[in-house]
Amino acid sequence: GNIDKDFCLEKNLNWFEDRYAELEGSLTRERIGQFGSNLRSTRDYLRYLQRFDTFEPRVAVPKGQQPKKKARPNYAMKRKGGGQGQKRKGGQGQNQRRNNRAKQNNT
C-alpha cells in the first residue's frame, strides 16, 4: 500500500533522534579517548592491508613514460622586502591610525 510521505519522514526523524539521544548518553571522555587511542596511522594501516594482498602489485613504468607530477601550489603568503617592522605604502601603519582615532575621540 501507499504510505503517507509526512508519516514516513516523521517516523524516520523520531528514529534518528532516539539513536542520537542514546549515543549522546553513552559517550564519555574516557570512551572517546579509548576510541582515539585505538586508531592507527594511515601508513600503519596501509602496511597492515598489504599483508593481505589488498593492493595490486606495482608495475614498473619506463622513465620516459612516467607521468609528470604536478607541482603543489604554495598557499603561504610571500612577503616582499624585509619582513616585520616595515611600513606599508601610503604612510601610516594600522597602529598609528588607531592611535590617531583614539586621540580624536578623547578630545
Coordinates of all heavy atoms in Angstrom, one line a residue, residues 34-100:
Q34 N 39.4 6.2 24.5 CA 39.7 4.8 24.1 C 39.6 4.7 22.6 O 40.4 4.0 22.0 CB 38.8 3.9 24.8 CG 39.0 3.7 26.3 CD 37.9 2.9 27.0 OE1 36.9 2.7 26.4 NE2 38.2 2.5 28.2
F35 N 38.6 5.3 22.0 CA 38.4 5.2 20.6 C 39.6 5.8 19.9 O 40.1 5.2 18.9 CB 37.1 5.9 20.2 CG 36.9 6.0 18.7 CD1 36.5 4.9 17.9 CD2 37.1 7.2 18.0 CE1 36.3 4.9 16.6 CE2 37.0 7.3 16.7 CZ 36.6 6.1 15.9
G36 N 40.0 7.0 20.3 CA 41.1 7.7 19.6 C 42.4 6.9 19.8 O 43.2 6.9 18.8
S37 N 42.6 6.3 20.9 CA 43.9 5.5 21.1 C 43.9 4.3 20.3 O 45.0 3.7 20.0 CB 44.1 5.2 22.6 OG 43.1 4.3 23.0
N38 N 42.8 3.8 19.8 CA 42.7 2.6 19.0 C 42.9 2.8 17.5 O 43.0 1.9 16.7 CB 41.4 1.8 19.2 CG 41.4 1.1 20.6 OD1 42.4 0.8 21.2 ND2 40.2 1.0 21.1
L39 N 42.9 4.1 17.1 CA 43.1 4.5 15.7 C 44.5 4.2 15.3 O 45.4 4.5 16.1 CB 42.7 5.9 15.5 CG 41.2 6.2 15.7 CD1 41.0 7.7 15.4 CD2 40.3 5.4 14.7
R40 N 44.7 3.8 14.1 CA 46.1 3.7 13.5 C 46.4 4.8 12.6 O 45.5 5.4 12.0 CB 46.1 2.4 12.7 CG 45.9 1.1 13.5 CD 46.0 -0.1 12.6 NE 45.9 -1.3 13.3 CZ 46.0 -2.5 12.8 NH1 46.4 -2.6 11.5 NH2 45.9 -3.6 13.5
S41 N 47.7 5.0 12.4 CA 48.1 6.0 11.4 C 47.8 5.4 10.0 O 47.7 4.2 9.8 CB 49.5 6.4 11.5 OG 50.3 5.3 11.1
T42 N 47.6 6.2 9.0 CA 47.3 5.8 7.7 C 48.4 4.9 7.2 O 48.2 3.8 6.6 CB 47.2 7.0 6.7 OG1 46.1 7.8 7.3 CG2 46.8 6.6 5.3
R43 N 49.7 5.2 7.4 CA 50.8 4.4 6.9 C 50.8 3.0 7.5 O 50.9 2.0 6.8 CB 52.1 5.1 7.3 CG 53.3 4.4 6.8 CD 54.6 5.1 7.1 NE 54.6 6.3 6.3 CZ 55.5 7.3 6.4 NH1 56.4 7.2 7.3 NH2 55.4 8.4 5.7
D44 N 50.5 3.0 8.9 CA 50.5 1.6 9.5 C 49.3 0.8 9.0 O 49.4 -0.4 8.8 CB 50.3 1.8 11.0 CG 51.5 2.3 11.7 OD1 52.6 2.3 11.1 OD2 51.4 2.8 12.8
Y45 N 48.2 1.5 8.7 CA 47.0 0.7 8.2 C 47.2 0.2 6.8 O 46.9 -0.9 6.5 CB 45.8 1.6 8.3 CG 44.5 0.9 8.0 CD1 44.1 -0.2 8.8 CD2 43.7 1.2 6.9 CE1 42.9 -0.9 8.6 CE2 42.6 0.5 6.6 CZ 42.2 -0.6 7.5 OH 41.0 -1.3 7.2
L46 N 47.9 1.0 6.0 CA 48.2 0.5 4.6 C 49.2 -0.6 4.6 O 49.0 -1.6 3.9 CB 48.8 1.7 3.8 CG 47.8 2.8 3.4 CD1 48.5 3.9 2.7 CD2 46.7 2.3 2.6
R47 N 50.1 -0.6 5.5 CA 51.0 -1.7 5.7 C 50.3 -3.0 6.1 O 50.5 -4.1 5.7 CB 52.1 -1.4 6.7 CG 53.2 -0.5 6.1 CD 54.3 -0.3 7.1 NE 55.2 0.8 6.6 CZ 55.9 1.6 7.4 NH1 55.8 1.5 8.7 NH2 56.7 2.5 6.9
Y48 N 49.4 -2.8 7.1 CA 48.5 -3.9 7.5 C 47.7 -4.5 6.4 O 47.7 -5.7 6.2 CB 47.6 -3.4 8.6 CG 46.5 -4.3 9.0 CD1 46.7 -5.4 9.9 CD2 45.2 -4.1 8.6 CE1 45.7 -6.2 10.3 CE2 44.2 -4.9 9.0 CZ 44.4 -6.0 9.8 OH 43.4 -6.9 10.2
L49 N 47.1 -3.7 5.6 CA 46.3 -4.2 4.4 C 47.2 -4.9 3.4 O 46.8 -5.8 2.7 CB 45.6 -3.0 3.8 CG 44.5 -2.4 4.6 CD1 43.9 -1.2 3.9 CD2 43.4 -3.4 4.9
Q50 N 48.4 -4.4 3.2 CA 49.3 -5.0 2.2 C 49.6 -6.5 2.6 O 49.9 -7.3 1.7 CB 50.6 -4.3 2.1 CG 50.5 -3.0 1.3 CD 51.8 -2.2 1.3 OE1 52.6 -2.3 2.2 NE2 51.9 -1.3 0.3
R51 N 49.6 -6.8 3.8 CA 49.8 -8.2 4.2 C 48.8 -9.2 3.7 O 49.1 -10.4 3.5 CB 49.8 -8.3 5.8 CG 51.0 -7.7 6.4 CD 50.9 -8.0 7.9 NE 51.4 -6.9 8.6 CZ 51.2 -6.6 9.9 NH1 50.4 -7.4 10.6 NH2 51.7 -5.6 10.5
F52 N 47.6 -8.7 3.4 CA 46.5 -9.5 2.8 C 46.4 -9.4 1.3 O 45.4 -9.7 0.8 CB 45.2 -9.1 3.5 CG 45.3 -9.3 5.0 CD1 45.4 -8.1 5.8 CD2 45.3 -10.5 5.6 CE1 45.4 -8.3 7.2 CE2 45.3 -10.6 7.0 CZ 45.4 -9.5 7.8
D53 N 47.4 -8.9 0.7 CA 47.4 -8.7 -0.8 C 46.2 -7.9 -1.2 O 45.5 -8.2 -2.2 CB 47.4 -10.1 -1.5 CG 48.7 -10.8 -1.3 OD1 49.8 -10.1 -1.2 OD2 48.7 -12.1 -1.2
T54 N 45.9 -6.9 -0.5 CA 44.8 -6.0 -0.8 C 45.0 -5.2 -2.1 O 44.1 -4.9 -2.9 CB 44.5 -5.0 0.3 OG1 44.4 -5.8 1.5 CG2 43.3 -4.2 0.1
F55 N 46.3 -4.8 -2.3 CA 46.6 -4.0 -3.5 C 47.2 -4.8 -4.6 O 47.9 -5.8 -4.3 CB 47.5 -2.9 -3.0 CG 47.0 -2.1 -1.9 CD1 47.6 -2.2 -0.6 CD2 46.0 -1.1 -2.0 CE1 47.1 -1.5 0.5 CE2 45.5 -0.4 -1.0 CZ 46.1 -0.6 0.3
E56 N 47.0 -4.3 -5.8 CA 47.7 -4.9 -6.9 C 49.2 -4.6 -6.9 O 49.5 -3.5 -6.4 CB 47.1 -4.4 -8.2 CG 45.7 -4.8 -8.5 CD 45.1 -4.3 -9.8 OE1 45.8 -3.6 -10.5 OE2 43.9 -4.6 -10.0
P57 N 50.0 -5.5 -7.3 CA 51.5 -5.2 -7.3 C 51.8 -4.0 -8.2 O 51.1 -3.8 -9.2 CB 52.1 -6.5 -7.8 CG 51.1 -7.2 -8.5 CD 49.8 -6.8 -7.9
R58 N 52.8 -3.3 -7.8 CA 53.3 -2.1 -8.6 C 53.9 -2.6 -10.0 O 54.6 -3.6 -10.0 CB 54.3 -1.3 -7.9 CG 53.7 -0.5 -6.8 CD 54.7 0.4 -6.2 NE 54.2 1.1 -5.1 CZ 54.8 2.0 -4.4 NH1 56.1 2.3 -4.7 NH2 54.2 2.7 -3.4
V59 N 53.6 -1.9 -11.0 CA 54.1 -2.2 -12.3 C 55.2 -1.2 -12.6 O 54.9 0.0 -12.5 CB 53.0 -2.2 -13.4 CG1 53.6 -2.5 -14.8 CG2 51.9 -3.2 -13.0
A60 N 56.4 -1.6 -13.0 CA 57.5 -0.7 -13.4 C 57.1 0.0 -14.7 O 56.7 -0.6 -15.7 CB 58.8 -1.5 -13.5
V61 N 57.3 1.3 -14.7 CA 57.0 2.1 -15.8 C 58.3 2.7 -16.3 O 59.1 3.2 -15.6 CB 56.0 3.3 -15.5 CG1 55.7 4.2 -16.7 CG2 54.7 2.8 -14.9
P62 N 58.6 2.5 -17.6 CA 59.9 3.1 -18.2 C 59.9 4.6 -17.9 O 58.9 5.3 -17.9 CB 59.8 2.8 -19.7 CG 58.8 1.7 -19.8 CD 57.9 1.8 -18.7
K63 N 61.1 5.1 -17.7 CA 61.3 6.5 -17.3 C 60.7 7.5 -18.2 O 60.1 8.5 -17.8 CB 62.8 6.8 -17.1 CG 63.3 6.3 -15.8 CD 64.5 7.1 -15.4 CE 64.9 6.6 -14.0 NZ 65.6 7.6 -13.3
G64 N 60.8 7.3 -19.5 CA 60.2 8.2 -20.5 C 58.7 8.3 -20.5 O 58.1 9.3 -20.9
Q65 N 58.0 7.3 -19.9 CA 56.6 7.2 -20.0 C 55.9 7.6 -18.6 O 54.7 7.5 -18.5 CB 56.1 5.8 -20.4 CG 56.5 5.4 -21.8 CD 56.2 4.0 -22.1 OE1 55.6 3.3 -21.3 NE2 56.5 3.6 -23.3
Q66 N 56.7 7.9 -17.6 CA 56.2 8.2 -16.3 C 55.4 9.6 -16.4 O 55.9 10.5 -17.0 CB 57.3 8.3 -15.3 CG 57.9 7.0 -14.9 CD 59.0 7.2 -13.9 OE1 59.5 8.3 -13.7 NE2 59.4 6.1 -13.3
P67 N 54.2 9.6 -15.8 CA 53.5 10.9 -15.8 C 54.2 11.9 -14.9 O 54.8 11.6 -13.9 CB 52.1 10.6 -15.2 CG 52.4 9.3 -14.5 CD 53.5 8.6 -15.1
K68 N 54.2 13.2 -15.4 CA 54.9 14.2 -14.6 C 54.0 14.6 -13.4 O 52.8 14.6 -13.5 CB 55.1 15.5 -15.5 CG 56.1 15.3 -16.6 CD 56.3 16.5 -17.3 CE 57.4 16.3 -18.4 NZ 57.6 17.6 -19.1
K69 N 54.7 14.8 -12.3 CA 54.0 15.2 -11.1 C 53.7 16.6 -11.2 O 54.5 17.4 -11.6 CB 54.8 14.9 -9.8 CG 55.0 13.4 -9.6 CD 55.8 13.2 -8.3 CE 56.0 11.7 -8.0 NZ 56.7 11.5 -6.8
K70 N 52.5 17.0 -10.8 CA 52.1 18.4 -10.8 C 52.7 19.0 -9.5 O 52.7 18.5 -8.4 CB 50.6 18.5 -10.7 CG 49.9 18.1 -12.0 CD 48.4 18.3 -11.9 CE 47.8 17.9 -13.2 NZ 46.3 18.0 -13.2
A71 N 53.2 20.2 -9.7 CA 53.7 21.0 -8.6 C 52.6 21.4 -7.7 O 51.5 21.9 -8.2 CB 54.5 22.2 -9.1
R72 N 52.7 21.3 -6.4 CA 51.7 21.8 -5.5 C 51.7 23.3 -5.4 O 52.8 23.9 -5.4 CB 52.0 21.2 -4.1 CG 51.8 19.8 -3.9 CD 51.9 19.4 -2.5 NE 51.9 18.0 -2.3 CZ 52.1 17.4 -1.1 NH1 52.4 18.1 -0.1 NH2 52.1 16.1 -1.1
P73 N 50.5 23.9 -5.4 CA 50.5 25.3 -5.2 C 51.0 25.7 -3.8 O 50.7 25.0 -2.9 CB 49.1 25.7 -5.5 CG 48.3 24.5 -5.2 CD 49.2 23.3 -5.5
N74 N 51.7 26.8 -3.7 CA 52.2 27.3 -2.5 C 51.3 28.3 -2.0 O 51.2 29.4 -2.5 CB 53.6 27.8 -2.6 CG 54.2 28.2 -1.3 OD1 53.6 28.0 -0.2 ND2 55.4 28.8 -1.3
Y75 N 50.5 28.0 -1.0 CA 49.5 28.9 -0.5 C 50.0 29.8 0.6 O 49.3 30.7 1.1 CB 48.2 28.2 0.1 CG 47.5 27.4 -1.0 CD1 47.5 26.1 -1.1 CD2 46.8 28.1 -2.0 CE1 46.9 25.4 -2.1 CE2 46.2 27.5 -3.0 CZ 46.2 26.1 -3.0 OH 45.5 25.4 -4.0
A76 N 51.2 29.6 1.0 CA 51.8 30.5 2.1 C 52.0 31.9 1.5 O 52.4 32.1 0.3 CB 53.1 30.0 2.5
M77 N 51.7 32.9 2.3 CA 51.9 34.3 1.9 C 53.3 34.6 1.7 O 54.1 34.3 2.6 CB 51.2 35.2 2.8 CG 49.7 35.1 2.8 SD 48.9 36.3 3.9 CE 49.4 37.8 3.2
K78 N 53.7 35.2 0.7 CA 55.1 35.6 0.5 C 55.2 37.1 0.7 O 54.4 37.9 0.3 CB 55.5 35.3 -0.9 CG 55.5 33.8 -1.2 CD 56.0 33.6 -2.6 CE 56.0 32.1 -2.9 NZ 56.3 31.8 -4.3
R79 N 56.2 37.5 1.5 CA 56.4 38.9 1.8 C 57.4 39.5 0.8 O 58.4 38.8 0.5 CB 56.9 39.1 3.2 CG 55.9 38.8 4.2 CD 56.5 39.1 5.6 NE 55.5 38.9 6.6 CZ 55.5 39.5 7.7 NH1 56.4 40.4 8.0 NH2 54.5 39.4 8.5
K80 N 57.2 40.7 0.4 CA 58.2 41.4 -0.4 C 59.0 42.2 0.6 O 58.4 42.9 1.5 CB 57.5 42.3 -1.4 CG 56.7 41.5 -2.5 CD 56.1 42.5 -3.4 CE 55.4 41.7 -4.5 NZ 54.7 42.6 -5.5
G81 N 60.2 42.2 0.4 CA 61.1 43.1 1.2 C 61.5 42.5 2.5 O 61.6 41.3 2.7
G82 N 61.7 43.4 3.5 CA 62.4 43.0 4.7 C 61.7 42.1 5.7 O 62.2 41.3 6.4
G83 N 60.4 42.3 5.9 CA 59.8 41.5 7.0 C 59.1 42.4 7.9 O 58.5 43.4 7.5
Q84 N 59.1 42.1 9.2 CA 58.4 42.9 10.2 C 59.0 44.2 10.4 O 60.2 44.5 10.2 CB 58.4 42.1 11.5 CG 57.5 41.0 11.5 CD 57.3 40.4 12.9 OE1 58.2 40.5 13.8 NE2 56.2 39.7 13.1
G85 N 58.2 45.1 10.8 CA 58.6 46.5 11.1 C 58.7 47.4 9.9 O 59.0 48.5 10.0
Q86 N 58.4 46.8 8.7 CA 58.4 47.6 7.5 C 57.1 48.3 7.3 O 56.0 47.8 7.5 CB 58.6 46.6 6.4 CG 59.1 47.3 5.1 CD 59.4 46.2 4.0 OE1 59.0 45.1 4.1 NE2 60.1 46.6 3.0
K87 N 57.2 49.6 7.0 CA 56.0 50.4 6.8 C 55.3 50.1 5.5 O 56.0 49.8 4.5 CB 56.3 51.9 6.9 CG 56.6 52.4 8.3 CD 56.6 53.9 8.3 CE 56.9 54.4 9.7 NZ 56.9 55.8 9.7
R88 N 54.0 50.2 5.5 CA 53.3 50.0 4.2 C 53.3 51.2 3.4 O 53.6 52.3 3.9 CB 51.8 49.6 4.5 CG 51.6 48.3 5.2 CD 50.2 48.1 5.4 NE 50.0 46.8 6.1 CZ 48.8 46.3 6.3 NH1 47.7 47.0 5.9 NH2 48.7 45.2 6.9
K89 N 53.1 51.0 2.1 CA 53.0 52.2 1.3 C 51.8 53.0 1.7 O 50.8 52.5 2.2 CB 52.8 51.7 -0.2 CG 54.0 51.1 -0.8 CD 53.7 50.7 -2.2 CE 54.9 50.1 -2.9 NZ 54.6 49.6 -4.2
G90 N 52.0 54.3 1.6 CA 50.8 55.2 1.9 C 51.1 55.9 3.3 O 50.2 56.5 3.8
G91 N 52.2 55.7 3.9 CA 52.4 56.4 5.1 C 52.1 55.7 6.4 O 52.9 54.8 6.8
Q92 N 51.0 56.0 7.0 CA 50.7 55.5 8.4 C 50.4 54.0 8.4 O 49.8 53.5 7.5 CB 49.5 56.2 8.9 CG 49.6 57.7 9.0 CD 48.3 58.3 9.5 OE1 47.3 57.7 9.7 NE2 48.4 59.6 9.8
G93 N 50.9 53.4 9.4 CA 50.5 52.0 9.6 C 49.2 51.9 10.4 O 48.7 52.9 10.9
Q94 N 48.7 50.7 10.6 CA 47.4 50.4 11.2 C 47.4 50.9 12.7 O 46.5 51.6 13.1 CB 47.1 49.0 11.2 CG 45.8 48.6 11.8 CD 45.4 47.2 11.7 OE1 46.2 46.4 11.2 NE2 44.3 46.8 12.2
N95 N 48.5 50.7 13.4 CA 48.5 51.1 14.8 C 48.5 52.6 14.9 O 47.9 53.2 15.8 CB 49.8 50.5 15.5 CG 49.7 49.0 15.7 OD1 48.6 48.5 15.7 ND2 50.8 48.4 15.8
Q96 N 49.2 53.3 14.0 CA 49.3 54.7 14.1 C 47.9 55.3 13.8 O 47.4 56.2 14.4 CB 50.3 55.3 13.1 CG 50.6 56.7 13.3 CD 51.8 57.2 12.4 OE1 52.3 56.4 11.7 NE2 52.2 58.4 12.6
R97 N 47.2 54.8 12.8 CA 45.8 55.2 12.5 C 44.9 55.0 13.7 O 44.1 55.8 14.0 CB 45.3 54.5 11.3 CG 45.9 55.0 10.0 CD 45.2 54.5 8.8 NE 45.2 53.0 8.7 CZ 46.1 52.3 8.1 NH1 47.1 52.8 7.5 NH2 46.0 51.0 8.1
R98 N 45.0 53.8 14.4 CA 44.2 53.5 15.5 C 44.5 54.5 16.6 O 43.5 55.0 17.3 CB 44.5 52.1 16.0 CG 43.6 51.6 17.1 CD 43.9 50.2 17.6 NE 43.9 49.3 16.5 CZ 44.9 48.3 16.3 NH1 45.9 48.2 17.2 NH2 44.8 47.5 15.3
N99 N 45.7 54.8 16.9 CA 46.1 55.8 17.9 C 45.5 57.2 17.6 O 45.1 57.9 18.5 CB 47.6 55.8 18.1 CG 48.1 54.5 18.7 OD1 47.4 53.8 19.3 ND2 49.4 54.3 18.6
N100 N 45.6 57.6 16.4 CA 45.1 58.9 16.0 C 43.6 58.9 16.2 O 43.1 60.0 16.6 CB 45.4 59.2 14.5 CG 46.9 59.5 14.3 OD1 47.6 59.8 15.3 ND2 47.4 59.4 13.1

